[in-house]
Amino acid sequence: MEEWLRARMLASAGIAGIAGNHVDWGLRPAGDQMPGVELFVISDVPERRMAGNPTWHDARVQANCWAATPGEAIRLRRAVATFAEGLRENVDGKKYRVFVIDADGRTEPDAGRIAHRAQVDLRISYQV
């Protein structure tokens, strides 16, 4: 799921038009340019089944949208939400379903650097 999501975000004209290729899992690389998207898996729960191994997972992914200005962080957040809402895709025989479950409307400055963060939480159901 992680590789698929990052590749799809990088291929999104809306996200790439703002963040370029700055979409990373975990902490963004030190000195990485802004704006950019920082992705974290908050939870990744397999479906419950009475018999056999689960074939679906239900993940929650947090996308932190970092930028030098509040407006740019909000534009990037909107691009991520627009990209993700209702995304359905079948890739290599696996299905992916994405929903926006929360989008933070405010930005928060980061005291360690001059940066602003806006957040989008995604629910991703996917086959394993």
Side-chain angles (χ1 to χ4, degrees):
M1 178 273 297
E2 289 89 344
E3 297 86 355
W4 169 83
L5 181 61
R6 182 174 187 271
R8 287 295 287 126
M9 289 181 123
L10 290 171
S12 163
I15 295 171
I18 298 170
N21 67 347
H22 302 285
V23 176
D24 300 291
W25 282 99
L27 296 175
R28 294 184 65 230
D32 199 17
Q33 294 179 344
M34 286 188 283
V37 179
E38 176 183 62
L39 301 168
F40 292 96
V41 174
I42 303 303
S43 66
D44 191 359
V45 181
E47 71 176 350
R48 297 202 190 305
R49 293 181 55 161
M50 297 303 285
N53 291 328
T55 58
W56 282 86
H57 275 236
D58 194 25
R60 181 172 179 153
V61 173
Q62 179 178 319
N64 293 323
C65 302
W66 290 99
T69 67
E72 193 171 40
I74 289 170
R75 283 191 297 281
L76 184 53
R77 175 185 53 82
R78 288 179 185 150
V80 170
T82 298
F83 150 80
E85 186 55 52
L87 177 63
R88 310 278 184 278
E89 195 166 88
N90 296 339
V91 178
D92 297 329
K94 295 182 181 180
K95 296 178 182 177
Y96 299 89
R97 308 292 183 255
V98 183
F99 307 92
V100 174
I101 56 176
D102 190 21
D104 189 346
R106 67 190 186 330
T107 63
E108 299 175 10
D110 179 0
R113 54 187 165 169
I114 305 300
H116 295 268
R117 177 180 66 95
Q119 177 182 323
V120 180
D121 287 351
L122 307 172
R123 177 180 170 218
I124 303 173
S125 296
Y126 66 100
Q127 287 183 307
V128 292

